[in-house]
Amino acid sequence: MLGLMTVDSAGDLAPAAPAPKEELLARVAHGDQSAFGELYDQIAPRVLGLVKRLLVDHAQSEEVTQEIFLEIWQSASRYEPTRGGASTWILTMAHRRAVDRIRSSQAGRDRDTKIGIRDLAVAYDHVAETVEVRIEHERVEKAMTRLTQLQRQAVSLAYYGGFSHSEVADMLHIPLGTVKTRLRDGLIRLRDELGVAS
């Protein structure tokens, strides 16, 4: 960093006092790049320190600090000296920006967690499922033997064959009402045999 030097009363070179931040902000508001550089040199370590204390991650802290100084460059004209000091204005902006980053990161983690839970494959026991289906199938076959031949024929065509009531009536050459009666009686008997509550 290059600093301004002044000559003191003894003729020695002495560093010039830094310009007040309020004055630098006023100059930055008019687009003065050298004032921005001087303001950056004065306050950047404090801004980075504040942001890093909140975010912990150094890389994110540097990124947020860069965003803050971009915002200072773009919005310096909004600074009002009557409402507080320049350091306070800048550090408040830094704090808000860091908190926004924390909230954004947390929202991203929450979203990822929800998606992960949603996409998590639930353990599935194929063997147990196969055994259950086989046992249920055997129970239904046994219950079907308890139906009359006419009921068994109608139920088999309608539920195993996938035919509509009208198609079953046409295939068996009987009225539609008779098919519906056989199906209803057959299903009632199956329900009773399987012990299913209605």
Side-chain angles (χ1 to χ4, degrees):
M1 172 177 119
L2 294 177
L4 295 176
M5 303 295 280
T6 59
V7 179
D8 64 9
S9 59
D12 295 328
L13 287 177
K21 293 173 191 72
E22 291 75 12
E23 176 187 317
L24 292 172
L25 264 177
R27 289 172 42 203
V28 169
H30 294 347
D32 186 338
Q33 292 180 4
S34 65
F36 182 75
E38 192 175 337
L39 179 67
Y40 180 88
D41 290 340
Q42 284 185 27
I43 199 152
R46 287 184 64 196
V47 170
L48 180 61
L50 171 66
V51 172
K52 191 171 181 186
R53 194 170 48 232
L54 292 169
L55 295 181
V56 179
D57 180 2
H58 187 73
Q60 274 197 24
S61 299
E62 287 179 340
E63 186 178 323
V64 170
T65 300
Q66 182 178 2
E67 292 171 5
I68 292 162
F69 278 98
L70 177 62
E71 187 175 351
I72 291 169
W73 175 257
Q74 293 172 339
S75 64
S77 61
R78 291 194 311 230
Y79 168 67
E80 297 176 29
T82 58
R83 297 186 70 193
S87 294
T88 304
W89 184 73
I90 292 169
L91 293 174
T92 299
M93 185 184 305
H95 185 269
R96 287 181 181 151
R97 190 60 81 118
V99 169
D100 287 347
R101 178 61 65 97
I102 292 168
R103 288 179 180 152
S104 174
S105 295
Q106 184 61 45
R109 282 192 298 274
D110 291 348
R111 184 176 48 253
D112 291 345
T113 300
K114 286 178 185 175
I115 290 172
I117 289 170
R118 184 194 67 202
D119 293 344
L120 180 66
V122 178
Y124 181 73
D125 188 354
H126 294 284
V127 174
E129 179 70 19
T130 303
V131 170
E132 283 183 43
V133 168
R134 185 172 295 146
I135 290 171
E136 199 62 32
H137 181 71
E138 289 171 1
R139 286 184 65 217
V140 171
E141 278 184 350
K142 185 177 178 182
M144 288 283 285
T145 61
R146 301 248 164 66
L147 299 179
T148 66
Q149 176 61 31
L150 297 174
Q151 290 171 341
R152 188 172 34 255
Q153 186 180 36
V155 169
S156 295
L157 289 172
Y159 291 97
Y160 288 117
F163 295 105
S164 68
H165 295 176
S166 301
E167 291 171 329
V168 171
D170 291 341
M171 293 170 79
L172 298 177
H173 307 293
I174 56 175
L176 179 61
T178 303
V179 169
K180 289 183 178 184
T181 301
R182 289 179 185 174
L183 285 171
R184 180 179 52 89
D185 292 344
L187 291 176
I188 289 171
R189 185 174 239 167
L190 279 175
R191 183 186 68 208
D192 293 342
E193 290 293 327
L194 294 172
V196 178
S198 58

